[in-house]
Amino acid sequence: MMQNTMQHDTQPTAEHSSAPIWQCGRYALELSRPYVMGILNMTPDSFSDGGQYLDPQLAIDRAHQMIADGADIIDIGGESTRPDAPKVCTCDELRRILPAIEALLDCGVPLSIDTQKPYVMREVLKLGVDIINDVNGFNSPVAIDAVADSNAGLCIMHMQGTPQDMQADPHYTDVVAEVAQFLGKQAQRLMTAGVARERLCLDPGFGFGKTLAHNQTLMQNLSQLSDKHALPLLIGVSRKRMIGTITGREHATERVSGSVAAALWALQHGAHIVRVHDVAQTVDAIRTWQFFESA
Ligand code: 8Y7
């Protein structure tokens, strides 16, 4: 969407030709401009918009709205990663997301599925989704097996611990080095299993087993992560606790401005893709910033 309205995208420059490509199923995303991934939660208990989109038709409408607002990718999730969220069984997770996948498969932008379950990965890949977004970073041979033979884009996210215990007492000697090392190791494991490098994207996993100070250090060293591995970088800070702590906003829906500011900072410091709830606000901010950036 944004591509059509941003003039300088039609005039390739040297900078553009060196932009990373992210191969995602039916799409090859040229990351020469910021990309926005819109979040479609199909869980009854998400902290930020839980339960709003449990009705499949409401969720599908919401996805179309995000695309109209400029979303470049839609990320569909059927399992909450909230620390106290109940585990969802495979069949419930599939039941939640399948109607949306079927309705949105030809929506014109890549479809990403946020899941940690290898069985779910296999099933949605059979349907033709473009991206698997695993908050576990494909940290099991079964998960690697489930995605290796496809042509889907893979987002490798770092998490310390499990969603149930990750925020209990996160510890690092050097958070940037340790996150970078994990991401590099997982990228290597996937490539050893036959995954093309172009299919990979990295994510430091803000808030996943990290204190506010860890999140701050990671944010301030984003370019180290992307430069070190020369892979695309996706980040998700939208409406998260860290934004609430910084701004003093208890309610997730009051964290929009803080989230937009964090997304802009990240895009200016090494991130290629931002995963957000508030697509319209984020896209407006990016367009305004890009207008002044362009020659
Ligand atoms: C992230 C994510 C969540 C993130 C990626 C939330 C599924 C919590 N956060 N995936 N998922 N990166 N790649 O606040 O930061 O949306 S769930």
Side-chain angles (χ1 to χ4, degrees), residues 47 81 114 133 135 155 157 203 206 208 234 236 238 240 275:
F47 82 97
T81 48
D114 146 29
N133 173 26
V135 296
C155 181
M157 201 195 80
D203 183 337
F206 286 101
F208 285 82
L234 185 154
S238 185
K240 282 186 179 174
R275 180 180 177 276

Side-chain angles (χ1 to χ4, degrees), residues 11 40 43 45 72 83 85 106 119 121 126 135 139 178 206 234 241 244 246 257 261 288-290 293-294:
Q11 292 164 2
L40 195 64
T43 60
D45 51 8
D72 300 293
D106 293 317
Y119 183 81
M121 294 176 191
K126 277 189 224 159
V135 296
N139 197 8
E178 286 166 53
F206 286 101
L234 185 154
R241 162 63 43 201
I246 296 166
S257 301
T288 306
W289 159 48
Q290 294 280 86
E293 278 283 304
S294 65

Side-chain angles (χ1 to χ4, degrees), residues 78-221:
E79 179 190 35
S80 175
T81 48
R82 232 171 53 162
D84 55 348
K87 292 227 170 196
V88 182
C89 72
T90 302
C91 54
D92 279 346
E93 188 177 334
L94 276 171
R95 216 186 344 256
R96 282 181 190 167
I97 61 178
L98 285 184
I101 294 175
E102 278 164 13
L104 295 170
L105 203 53
D106 293 317
C107 68
V109 304
L111 273 199
S112 165
I113 306 303
D114 146 29
T115 185
Q116 311 176 52
K117 295 192 182 70
Y119 183 81
V120 174
M121 294 176 191
R122 280 187 193 279
E123 290 302 305
V124 298
L125 286 170
K126 277 189 224 159
L127 293 175
V129 307
D130 303 288
I131 297 169
I132 302 292
N133 173 26
D134 180 4
V135 296
N136 253 315
F138 304 94
N139 197 8
S140 80
V142 202
I144 291 177
D145 244 31
V147 297
D149 283 345
S150 72
N151 193 31
L154 307 175
C155 181
I156 306 173
M157 201 195 80
H158 173 274
M159 165 163 56
Q160 186 178 87
T162 66
Q164 286 70 41
D165 67 16
M166 65 188 181
Q167 287 308 103
D169 189 19
H171 269 293
Y172 300 85
T173 311
D174 180 338
V175 66
V176 179
E178 286 166 53
V179 169
Q181 191 191 16
F182 171 82
L183 296 175
K185 182 185 74 187
Q186 293 309 105
Q188 198 50 60
R189 285 177 74 188
L190 284 157
M191 288 190 287
T192 303
V195 173
R197 188 180 168 76
E198 293 68 38
R199 290 173 53 197
L200 302 178
C201 176
L202 306 179
D203 183 337
F206 286 101
F208 285 82
K210 281 117 188 159
T211 64
L212 181 63
H214 293 141
N215 290 325
Q216 184 185 33
T217 304
L218 281 168
M219 189 65 102
Q220 291 172 336
N221 292 277

